[in-house]
Amino acid sequence: MVNPPRKIIIDTDPGQDDAVAILLAMASPDEIDILGITAVAGNVPLPLTHKNARIICELAQRTDIAVYAGCDRPLAHTLVTAEHVHGKTGLDGPKLPDPEMQLTDGHAVDYIIDTLRRQPAGTVTLCPLGPLTNIGTAFEKAPDIVERVQEIVLMGGAYFEVGNVTPAAEFNIYVDPEAADIVFKSGIPIVVLPLDVTHKVLVTKARNDAFRNIGNRVGIAVAKMTEFFERFDVEKYGSLGAPLHDPCVTAYLIKPELFSGRHVNVEIETKSDLTRGMTVADWWGVTDRAPNAMFIGTVDADGFFDLLTQRLARF
Ligand code: RIB
Ligand code: CA
């Protein structure tokens, strides 16, 4: 008996790695049914993230998928963006046309609430790929939806890998730690794909060549995206290529056996300026705080890239 595809909402701040995650999901209809895409401010401001989400839909010829605009700033802080990583547009690299498809009317937060109320309880997975502002806002506005969420599978946080935007914090959590705190205290089953694992899936030249050699528009666009956004990590970490952060979320949904981790307690620093947005993972169980997240630390990187390349070839 084959399981039906998992129904998901992708909450995103594209970003080249978000784009690859969304394309991988679109190429995997047997495993993933994308109910909708909700854009949030993060890598670049909201007008660009919702534009980029629509550009990706058109690149994949999936303009049937509704894109909603969500929150344009975090709950408590001013917005911090990452043009130094993703470029001015947030999707620098390939030259892709401005979208013709329109945003779908309605706020992303209301779409998340309505969808969770309409779909049978326990059948919708939320897949945040950016700051958790839309998700945290939805839970605050409509607490009744919290128990209806099947699972949250998110990219964010770091423990052994420490921070990428400050010494202590990973970007998605740093931008909106208050929203992250709401999510991690929600009681919903959470799978975290932190920098600890995403820094192990680097787009080396050979892997980038494999994207380009797929020979379709999507493969060529992905090769140009990852060639562009690798600069930050290569210069900072001496990496062998761009870390594919967000596609770890989609790959986990398709082939969870590629990943492994530990169910631990994770709490979010929201008080200290020094460590704002740190994901304090009790990896060694030194506290009596109840485990609330599956914190992923390892991945079969070659298996990940084989899956990704094979699926991108489906376009
Ligand atoms: O820290 C990496 C995360 O921040 C990724 O989701 C990237 O797209 C940015 O949003
Ligand atoms: Ca992202």
Side-chain angles (χ1 to χ4, degrees), residues 12-19 42-43 82 85-86 128-131 155-157 164-165 169-173 195 198-199 229 243 245-246:
T12 181
D13 65 334
Q16 291 88 349
D17 60 316
D18 301 67
N43 284 319
V85 179
H86 298 277
L129 309 178
M155 191 279 142
N164 61 355
V165 65
E170 177 277 327
F171 178 81
N172 287 342
I173 309 300
L195 297 180
T198 68
H199 279 181
F229 101 100
H245 305 292
D246 295 335

Side-chain angles (χ1 to χ4, degrees), residues 41-310:
N43 284 319
V44 286
L46 180 67
L48 285 174
T49 59
H50 71 60
K51 175 181 173 186
N52 292 341
R54 289 177 286 141
I55 286 173
I56 297 155
C57 289
E58 292 194 345
L59 172 65
Q61 297 180 311
R62 289 302 308 277
T63 54
D64 58 299
I65 297 176
V67 175
Y68 295 85
C71 299
D72 64 359
R73 73 198 66 181
L75 295 184
H77 298 278
T78 52
L79 178 63
V80 171
T81 53
E83 287 87 349
H84 60 293
V85 179
H86 298 277
K88 212 164 47 62
T89 71
L91 213 48
D92 285 28
K95 295 278 168 281
L96 297 170
D98 283 353
E100 289 178 14
M101 81 179 271
Q102 298 300 304
L103 271 177
T104 302
D105 289 343
H107 195 285
V109 169
D110 295 327
Y111 167 73
I112 292 169
I113 294 169
D114 297 344
T115 302
L116 283 163
R117 285 176 172 162
R118 208 170 0 91
Q119 294 285 340
T123 64
V124 176
T125 294
L126 301 178
C127 297
L129 309 178
L132 290 161
T133 315
N134 285 344
I135 312 299
T137 303
F139 291 177
E140 289 277 272
K141 186 173 179 182
D144 61 288
I145 67 171
V146 170
E147 63 185 11
R148 302 181 66 84
V149 179
Q150 177 181 23
E151 190 173 46
I152 295 176
V153 183
L154 68 86
M155 191 279 142
Y159 185 60
F160 294 104
E161 197 67 6
V162 297
N164 61 355
V165 65
T166 72
E170 177 277 327
F171 178 81
N172 287 342
I173 309 300
Y174 176 76
V175 169
D176 199 337
E178 284 72 18
D181 193 41
I182 292 166
V183 170
F184 278 79
K185 286 179 176 165
S186 68
I188 296 168
I190 298 177
V191 177
V192 181
L193 284 303
L195 297 180
D196 302 60
V197 69
T198 68
H199 279 181
K200 293 172 181 167
V201 284
L202 302 177
V203 184
T204 60
K205 184 173 180 333
R207 289 165 173 166
N208 191 273
D209 289 346
F211 292 152
R212 182 175 278 103
N213 295 339
I214 292 171
N216 62 13
R217 278 184 72 225
V218 168
I220 291 164
V222 165
K224 290 180 178 174
M225 286 182 202
T226 52
E227 257 166 10
F228 177 87
F229 101 100
E230 74 171 17
R231 299 163 4 274
F232 172 78
D233 289 84
V234 168
E235 282 161 27
K236 175 171 180 177
Y237 296 100
S239 306
L240 292 176
L244 281 188
H245 305 292
D246 295 335
C248 285
V249 169
T250 329
Y252 179 85
L253 296 176
I254 299 166
K255 279 188 93 171
E257 61 272 22
L258 291 173
F259 299 88
S260 65
R262 194 178 284 188
H263 195 230
V264 297
N265 176 268
V266 178
E267 300 214 358
I268 310 297
E269 174 59 70
T270 57
K271 300 283 178 288
S272 154
D273 287 342
L274 180 63
T275 53
R276 160 189 159 184
M278 182 175 180
T279 45
V280 183
D282 185 6
W283 186 263
W284 303 110
V286 297
T287 75
D288 57 1
R289 296 197 291 258
N292 61 338
M294 172 54 79
F295 202 80
I296 302 294
T298 55
V299 59
D300 168 1
D302 287 336
F304 169 87
F305 279 97
D306 288 348
L307 172 70
L308 176 55
T309 307
Q310 285 156 17

